[in-house]
Amino acid sequence: MRKLLYIVCSAVTAVTMLPFSGNAQQPQEPPTVTEMAAEEAERLERLLDLEYWQVFYVDSTLQHDFQAMRDELIALSEAKVSNSSMYVSVQDKWMEKIDSSYRKYFTDEQWKAYLKSGAAKQQKAREKRKAKANK
């Protein structure tokens, strides 16, 4: 999940910095939402031994949620929001939705393996940030 979060943040940063790049360098294209979703779906397929229909649902979920998260992050950036906790809050919201969708599609065994692969740690970190924000 950390790698995925890094990829999404990098893509948003690349999109927002594009006007400032000038002609000095050829800008490297950030991965598209479709590419990021497909890459993560394939990773989870290998990790969790997903069925073909599970891969379809994972990919569909990721394409929708990554795009929605990206749109929200770009809107914050265009509004010149400098509070980093706002960006993290948007990312946390969408990652929670993704996990909620995964829970519907994964078997209990797959869900446990998913949590062991680092998702439990990410969920705990999100809950900690949420509790801190609510204080």
Side-chain angles (χ1 to χ4, degrees), residues 86-100:
M86 297 280 293
Y87 292 88
V88 172
S89 175
V90 168
Q91 292 168 347
D92 285 351
K93 175 182 91 172
W94 285 103
M95 295 312 290
E96 284 178 22
K97 289 182 184 235
I98 289 169
D99 280 351
S100 176

Side-chain angles (χ1 to χ4, degrees), residues 7-49:
I7 291 171
V8 171
C9 289
S10 296
V12 170
T13 301
V15 167
T16 58
M17 295 303 289
L18 196 56
F20 303 110
S21 65
N23 291 331
Q25 289 182 338
Q26 189 69 281
Q28 184 178 359
E29 291 293 319
T32 66
V33 169
T34 304
E35 292 168 341
M36 289 187 300
E39 184 179 314
E40 180 63 6
E42 289 171 9
R43 185 188 75 82
L44 291 173
E45 178 181 25
R46 288 188 306 272
L47 178 70
L48 306 174
D49 194 28

Side-chain angles (χ1 to χ4, degrees), residues 100-116:
S100 176
S101 294
Y102 285 173
R103 186 63 191 116
K104 294 177 199 172
Y105 310 132
F106 294 169
T107 64
D108 289 339
E109 186 177 290
Q110 290 168 332
W111 181 249
K112 288 176 189 173
Y114 173 69
L115 292 175
K116 283 183 181 181

Side-chain angles (χ1 to χ4, degrees), residues 39-104:
E39 184 179 314
E40 180 63 6
E42 289 171 9
R43 185 188 75 82
L44 291 173
E45 178 181 25
R46 288 188 306 272
L47 178 70
L48 306 174
D49 194 28
L50 298 178
E51 298 288 333
Y52 71 93
W53 64 269
Q54 291 173 305
V55 176
F56 172 80
Y57 281 118
V58 166
D59 184 63
S60 297
T61 296
L62 292 174
Q63 283 191 43
H64 173 270
D65 291 358
F66 282 176
Q67 185 63 51
M69 178 171 45
R70 181 181 170 276
D71 292 345
E72 283 190 45
L73 292 171
I74 289 174
L76 287 175
S77 178
E78 288 175 349
K80 308 268 191 253
V81 173
S82 61
N83 184 348
S84 62
S85 65
M86 297 280 293
Y87 292 88
V88 172
S89 175
V90 168
Q91 292 168 347
D92 285 351
K93 175 182 91 172
W94 285 103
M95 295 312 290
E96 284 178 22
K97 289 182 184 235
I98 289 169
D99 280 351
S100 176
S101 294
Y102 285 173
R103 186 63 191 116
K104 294 177 199 172

